[in-house]
Amino acid sequence: MYPRPLALAIGAAFGALVTLQPVADSDLFWHIATGARTLAGELPRSDLFSWTVPGAPVSTDQWLGDALLALARAIGDWRGVLALRALAVAALVTIITDTAMAARPRAPIVAILASFPAIALSRFAWTDRPELLGLVLFALLVRLLRGGDRELLMTIPLLFVWSQLHGSYALGLGLVLASCGARALEERRERWRFVPIAAAAIVATLAVPAGLATWTSSGGHFLAPPRYISEEGVPDVRTAPGVLFVGTLVLLLATGMLGRRVTLNEAMLLLPVAFVSLTAARHTPFVAVAAAAFFAASWPDPLARWRATETLSSARTSSLGRDGVPRAAGALGRAAALGACGAALFASVALADGRVDESGYPRGALAALPAGPGLLNHYDWGGYLIEFAPRTPVFIDGRLFPFVPSVLEDYRAIVGAHPGWEGVAERRGVRAILV
């Protein structure tokens, strides 16, 4: 399971490049504010930041992701957050590329090309949110589900960590159960062994502070998302992510029709993920990540005609390990590759701009904001105000579901100047508007 040096190098390169993207995501700020309270020993279970739903229940399904972001901020200020993002992106790209290489160890160029759709589409999720960390664990789950029984067992602790980190774990649980079902159908002996694995996977996702409510939260995002929020809407082919997503689906269909026969285990992985990816723009990277190894194993090798003869190929294979890596490259070489990649990431973080990019936020208006309740703020500025204007509670922010449906509907009526918006503002007690 140790990643190949080439995969590590590609991952480190993208991890270094992502440090050029400044800290600016509005949701980051409320994640950090929530995580800071968790680190202080008080897991927030009710709203602490708004004046529209104060004390209302809030989900704790991202408590670990929030805590990690808050810890990174506490250790290294905003540069610490940047470092966490760089590590997550490096890990994500490394896992995607290495999984593709494991599927096609003799054709690394094909494997790297097969990784490009996943890297390109996941690029739009390389933000400072627990969502990115959940995507890393999804990529790792895909790698494990392509293995044997030992790897299938390893998905149980993975699901346990993932369910504390981000609500996307629900997709992972569904895939583990589907994989157990597919393997039970394919094997004639000892099929019963998949039953306790499936049961343990379910229990692992319930050992969280929210208990059964963690399923409710994930179900809300999947079954009843507010479609007028861009990331909750269906993929839009007029945007760059939408074009990449459609292109990935076309590649997947073409590869399935023209390439090698799809196994049952692959079908139980790719079909559910493709369906989920169609339901919301924020889910589109999943299908590309899941398809990378399938592409690598199925696509033709353009360099095959220039390869050595069968005899020379056999002789060469004798000096390779099971994963296609030369046996001579031992632990020292692997440690050197890991150290070099780590040094590159450290240098990129050290040289990056470790400040928050406030160019898209109302920095100049902060001094004029009234203390206490009454401010109606722009949706995308809620998290920023939680961090930089703590004396002024927000009307709404990116946590979204505590404000659904009434607060969000009133917000849309006022900001959109719908008929009767003045009455809505008066009923809500709005004293100032910042949009």
Side-chain angles (χ1 to χ4, degrees):
M1 291 293 291
Y2 185 91
R4 292 156 178 77
L6 181 55
L8 273 173
I10 295 173
F14 280 99
L17 286 172
V18 82
T19 61
L20 300 176
Q21 174 183 316
V23 175
D25 193 314
S26 178
D27 280 357
L28 165 66
F29 305 116
W30 66 257
H31 280 301
I32 287 180
T34 304
R37 285 164 172 78
T38 300
L39 294 177
E42 180 187 358
L43 178 64
R45 296 179 180 272
S46 58
D47 173 64
L48 300 172
F49 309 123
S50 81
W51 62 274
T52 49
V53 291
V58 296
S59 174
T60 59
D61 63 338
Q62 302 182 72
W63 76 267
L64 182 57
D66 295 343
L68 288 174
L69 286 167
L71 183 61
R73 167 79 191 284
I75 293 174
D77 200 31
W78 299 115
R79 197 177 299 277
V81 174
L82 197 62
L84 180 60
R85 183 209 304 164
L87 286 172
V89 169
L92 174 64
V93 175
T94 296
I95 295 169
I96 291 172
T97 308
D98 192 65
T99 302
M101 288 182 173
R104 198 71 174 273
R106 312 300 177 196
I109 293 179
V110 175
I112 293 172
L113 290 175
S115 303
F116 278 177
I119 295 172
L121 196 50
S122 69
R123 165 66 185 86
F124 300 97
W126 294 358
T127 56
D128 301 311
R129 303 185 189 184
E131 179 182 4
L132 173 58
L133 305 177
L135 191 58
V136 174
L137 295 191
F138 175 77
L140 184 55
L141 179 79
V142 171
R143 176 63 182 271
L144 293 176
L145 290 180
R146 295 184 62 86
D149 282 6
R150 184 182 66 173
E151 287 77 14
L152 184 61
L153 284 170
M154 291 172 63
T155 64
I156 297 173
L158 176 69
L159 285 174
F160 172 74
V161 174
W162 192 355
S163 60
Q164 323 283 335
L165 197 66
H166 189 256
S168 56
Y169 81 89
L171 175 59
L173 174 61
L175 294 178
V176 170
L177 298 181
S179 181
C180 287
R183 296 177 193 220
L185 289 174
E186 288 182 328
E187 299 191 21
R188 297 182 178 180
R189 301 180 59 184
E190 299 182 356
R191 294 178 177 177
W192 60 268
R193 73 182 186 277
F194 297 108
V195 175
I197 294 176
I202 294 173
V203 171
T205 63
L206 294 175
V208 294
L212 280 171
T214 189
W215 288 3
T216 305
S217 176
S218 297
H221 280 278
F222 179 70
L223 297 174
R227 296 297 185 187
Y228 39 79
I229 303 296
S230 59
E231 63 183 13
E232 300 286 352
V234 296
D236 187 351
V237 296
R238 296 169 297 180
T239 64
V243 171
L244 287 171
F245 173 65
V246 171
T248 301
L249 286 183
V250 171
L251 276 175
L252 184 59
L253 289 173
T255 303
M257 295 173 63
L258 303 176
R260 62 178 178 81
R261 180 176 176 271
V262 181
T263 67
L264 179 60
N265 199 43
E266 286 176 327
M268 296 302 285
L269 171 65
L270 294 172
L271 292 178
V273 174
F275 173 75
V276 170
S277 294
L278 285 165
T279 62
R282 66 188 305 167
H283 299 155
T284 53
F286 289 129
V287 68
V289 174
F294 176 66
F295 288 157
S298 305
W299 286 356
D301 182 4
L303 301 181
R305 56 185 291 188
W306 288 283
R307 293 193 181 279
T309 62
E310 186 67 26
T311 303
L312 291 177
S313 178
S314 300
R316 181 185 175 194
T317 303
S318 65
S319 65
L320 299 177
R322 293 176 61 185
D323 59 356
V325 176
R327 292 192 177 98
L332 185 61
R334 292 173 174 175
L338 185 61
C341 293
L345 287 177
F346 178 84
S348 63
V349 172
L351 295 173
D353 186 355
R355 298 173 297 175
V356 174
D357 179 9
E358 299 183 68
S359 60
Y361 296 108
R363 180 180 180 181
L366 295 181
L369 296 181
L375 173 72
L376 184 142
N377 59 277
H378 191 283
Y379 176 86
D380 290 332
W381 293 345
Y384 176 81
L385 296 177
I386 289 172
E387 172 67 26
F388 292 98
R391 296 188 306 128
T392 304
V394 299
F395 186 96
I396 196 170
D397 59 66
R399 291 173 296 165
L400 186 59
F401 279 95
F403 305 100
V404 174
S406 61
V407 175
L408 188 56
E409 290 176 354
D410 288 349
Y411 167 82
R412 297 180 70 204
I414 297 172
V415 172
H418 297 173
W421 71 267
E422 299 97 332
V424 176
E426 183 178 0
R427 172 171 55 81
R428 281 287 179 184
V430 173
R431 297 189 292 128
I433 297 178
L434 181 65
V435 295

